[in-house]
């Protein structure tokens, strides 16, 4: 019998001890096709942007009822691109309720209607309005995918695979973005850019068919009292393993949740103002800040507009831009590829050194890269700008790019997770819309100093990580709540051990007390 028991006393065939297996990986990959589609939608406008908005391939001509390009100003193009984020905000607002009623699988299937409709509108666009509406509709699909893929993967994951599958969504988004840019190289001329936009519909149709072959979330089925189906789904995900103890833990947890549900849940306002049994304001602020900081970093601006930025940086003439692929397009392709590699690196180091440490390094390095991009632009050194755009995407995606997606589930109790997660996703999408819209405007207004504001915003994220961000590595949520309860405050004093050895009047001790006092004044008025 000892041969069947691990050193921890857990049977080797106990599903709770299971690493990543084939059925689990395949199910996660099928669900993540929505994330790949998300990446495809946001990445497909980058390389062909000058052909579509500026008619760089030649004057506007009509063939079979379709124009070769749709000329517009940079401001209008920024709005068209940004409407995807506004659609994502709309999608994130209702996706949770629908998924809780109809299930994760069926909601993902229904969501593909938005991807198909959006693709049809954009690939057949004859006006700015139609292109904009198509981007908004596709954005709704992106918003639903952002919520549902992470939810499904977290609910089917084992304890040992939760960290890996937590970063899986961001990885698949970047793979979708990278693939869209590879295909864009051959489909950036008129009218081939229309085929590029239509591929989103193909991805959606393929996923709809594959979703029939993966199980529904066992947790969702158990919540709906479909116990036999829940057990069968869990067994399918844990092939050849004993699911008895894991299933018993799942049902016990849900029973406890039902007892808690009998008590009135706090409203979002009660949570935000600290009127709950345990004051969660610091943790809620951390989740909301992280989701906002992911978008104000400027990384999505690089994903959307790198081709235009690099075309300007390398002073490409109209004739050079017509010769596809240009150096700007090829460099953009590399930026997308390095982002996917960076997420894989981050997924492996996250559980080793902790979320906070990774974010500190990632945000500081991103701020430094932003400064060097400005220096390279000011000195008119194209290779320097391109190099630090590569480094920018690498260090951002290693940590700051996907840590925000993990924050809500690791820092907040189940009782407030739904309302705060929806608010966090909304803030994330709205920030993305603002950044996407103003990026081309900033480009014209600031010129070589375009990345200076993003150096500042990334530095703010760095300071947040140093002084405020909670560390959840290896801690249950109950411990995190106890450790970081209260209003927004200085949670991490890097000089604490040194300050404790000095007198009460030490400068650094006074400094931290002053910051704590200022935060207290601020939060008392929330």
């Amino acid at each position: 019998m000892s041969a069947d028991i691990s050193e921890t006393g857990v049977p080797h065939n106990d599903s709770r001890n299971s690493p990543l297996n084939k059925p689990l990986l395949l199910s996660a990959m099928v669900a993540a096709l929505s994330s790949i589609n998300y990446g495809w939608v946001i990445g497909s406008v980058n390389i062909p942007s000058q052909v579509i908005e500026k008619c760089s391939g030649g004057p506007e001509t009509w063939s079979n009822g379709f124009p070769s390009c749709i000329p517009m100003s940079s401001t209008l193009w920024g709005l068209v691109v940004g409407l995807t984020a506004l659609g994502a905000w709309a999608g994130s607002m209702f996706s949770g309720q629908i998924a809780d009623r109809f299930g994760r699988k069926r909601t993902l299937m229904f969501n593909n209607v938005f991807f198909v409709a959006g693709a049809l509108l954009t690939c057949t666009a004859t006006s700015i309005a139609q292109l904009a509406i198509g981007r908004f509709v596709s954005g709704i699909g992106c918003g639903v995918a952002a919520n549902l893929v992470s939810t499904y993967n977290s609910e089917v994951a084992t304890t040992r695979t939760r960290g890996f599958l937590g970063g899986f969504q961001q990885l698949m988004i970047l793979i979708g973005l990278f693939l869209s840019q590879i295909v864009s190289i051959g489909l950036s001329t008129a009218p081939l850019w229309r085929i590029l936009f239509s591929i989103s519909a193909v991805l959606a149709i393929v996923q709809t068919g594959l979703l029939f072959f993966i199980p529904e979330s066992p947790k969702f089925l158990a919540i709906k009292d479909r116990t036999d189906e829940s057990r069968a789904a869990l067994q399918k995900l844990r092939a050849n393993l004993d699911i008895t103890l894991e299933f018993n833990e799942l049902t016990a947890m849900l029973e406890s949740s039902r007892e808690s549900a009998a008590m009135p849940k706090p409203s979002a306002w009660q949570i935000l103002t600290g009127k709950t049994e345990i004051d969660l304001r610091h943790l809620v602020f951390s989740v909301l800040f992280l989701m906002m900081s992911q978008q104000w970093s400027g990384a999505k601006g690089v994903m959307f507009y790198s081709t235009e930025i690099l075309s300007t940086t390398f002073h490409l003439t109209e004739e050079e831009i017509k010769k596809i692929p240009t150096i700007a397009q090829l460099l953009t392709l590399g930026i997308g590829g390095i982002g996917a590699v960076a997420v894989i690196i981050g997924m492996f180091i996250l559980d080793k050194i902790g979320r906070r440490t990774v974010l500190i390094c990632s945000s500081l390095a991103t701020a430094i890269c932003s400064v060097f991009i400005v220096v390279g632009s000011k000195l008119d050194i194209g290779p320097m700008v391109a190099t630090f755009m590569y480094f920018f995407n690498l260090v951002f995606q290693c940590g700051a790019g996907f840590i925000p997606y993990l924050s809500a589930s690791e820092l907040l109790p189940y009782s407030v997770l739904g309302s705060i997660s929806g608010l966090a996703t909304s803030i994330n999408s709205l920030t993305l819309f603002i950044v996407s819209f103003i990026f081309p405007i900033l480009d014209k207004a600031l010129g070589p100093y375009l990345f200076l504001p993003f150096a500042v915003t990334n530095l703010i994220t760095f300071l947040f990580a140093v002084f405020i961000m909670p560390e959840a590595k290896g801690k249950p949520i109950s411990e995190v709540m106890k450790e970081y309860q209260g209003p927004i405050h200085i949670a991490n004093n890097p000089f604490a051990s040194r300050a404790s050895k000095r007198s009460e009047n030490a400068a650094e001790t006074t400094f931290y007390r002053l910051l704590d006092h200022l935060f207290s004044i601020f939060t008392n008025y929330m």
Side-chain angles (χ1 to χ4, degrees), residues 110-366:
F110 170 76
N111 185 49
N112 282 328
V113 172
F114 293 109
F115 280 124
V116 172
L120 290 176
L121 284 166
T122 52
C123 77
T124 62
T126 58
S127 65
I128 297 173
Q130 184 179 344
L131 186 63
I133 293 171
R135 293 288 297 174
F136 180 82
V137 172
S138 292
I140 294 175
C142 293
V144 175
N147 271 356
L148 265 292
V149 174
S150 59
T151 299
Y152 179 84
N153 284 348
S154 67
E155 291 181 355
V156 301
T158 63
T159 303
R160 290 177 60 180
T161 60
R162 195 166 292 140
F164 176 82
L165 292 182
F168 202 61
Q169 172 171 306
Q170 182 70 1
L171 174 61
M172 293 298 107
I173 290 174
L174 289 171
I175 287 176
L177 188 147
F178 180 54
L179 291 174
S180 74
Q181 292 175 345
I182 291 177
V183 177
S184 294
I185 295 295
L187 297 177
S188 288
T189 56
L192 297 182
W193 56 265
R194 297 180 180 277
I195 297 175
L196 179 67
F197 291 163
S198 71
I199 292 175
S200 174
V202 177
L203 289 171
I205 293 169
V206 169
Q207 187 198 29
T208 301
L210 293 175
L211 282 169
F212 286 101
F213 298 97
I214 68 170
E216 177 58 271
S217 159
K219 183 176 180 180
F220 167 78
L221 294 170
I223 289 173
K224 295 297 183 180
D225 291 323
R226 295 157 63 178
T227 307
D228 292 339
E229 293 177 66
S230 175
R231 183 187 292 274
L234 186 62
Q235 187 64 74
K236 188 172 182 179
L237 291 162
R238 311 285 190 263
N240 303 318
L241 294 172
D242 184 357
I243 63 168
T244 304
L245 295 177
E246 183 179 5
F247 188 73
N248 288 343
E249 287 182 357
L250 172 63
T251 53
M253 180 193 69
L254 292 177
E255 187 60 36
S256 175
S257 298
R258 288 191 180 98
E259 293 175 2
S260 300
M263 302 176 63
K265 285 189 176 182
S267 66
W269 180 248
Q270 288 176 315
I271 298 166
L272 292 171
T273 54
K275 304 297 192 298
T276 51
E277 186 176 352
I278 296 179
D279 190 344
L280 300 171
R281 279 180 289 174
H282 185 87
L283 294 172
V284 169
F285 170 78
S286 298
V287 171
L288 299 182
F289 182 92
L290 284 168
M291 290 296 277
M292 180 172 63
S293 70
Q294 187 206 41
Q295 301 299 354
W296 79 9
S297 64
K300 286 299 193 300
V302 173
M303 293 178 185
F304 288 144
Y305 300 107
S306 59
T307 301
E308 291 190 35
I309 295 170
L310 292 170
S311 294
T312 303
T313 300
F314 284 93
H315 305 292
L316 298 185
T317 64
E318 290 186 10
E319 289 302 316
E320 289 173 325
I321 290 174
K322 291 179 182 179
K323 296 176 182 177
I324 297 174
T326 66
I327 185 173
Q329 292 171 338
L330 292 174
L331 288 171
T332 292
L333 184 63
I335 290 173
I338 203 169
V341 173
V343 172
I344 295 173
I345 295 171
M347 288 163 66
F348 281 103
I349 66 173
L350 194 65
D351 288 325
K352 297 183 184 297
I353 63 177
R355 281 72 167 141
R356 178 171 167 264
T357 303
V358 172
L359 185 64
I360 287 173
C361 298
S362 176
S363 55
L364 179 60
T366 306

Side-chain angles (χ1 to χ4, degrees), residues 495-504 506 508-509:
F495 307 106
S497 59
R498 290 166 50 193
S500 63
K501 297 178 183 178
R502 299 180 181 179
S503 68
E504 289 270 321
E508 58 206 37
T509 304

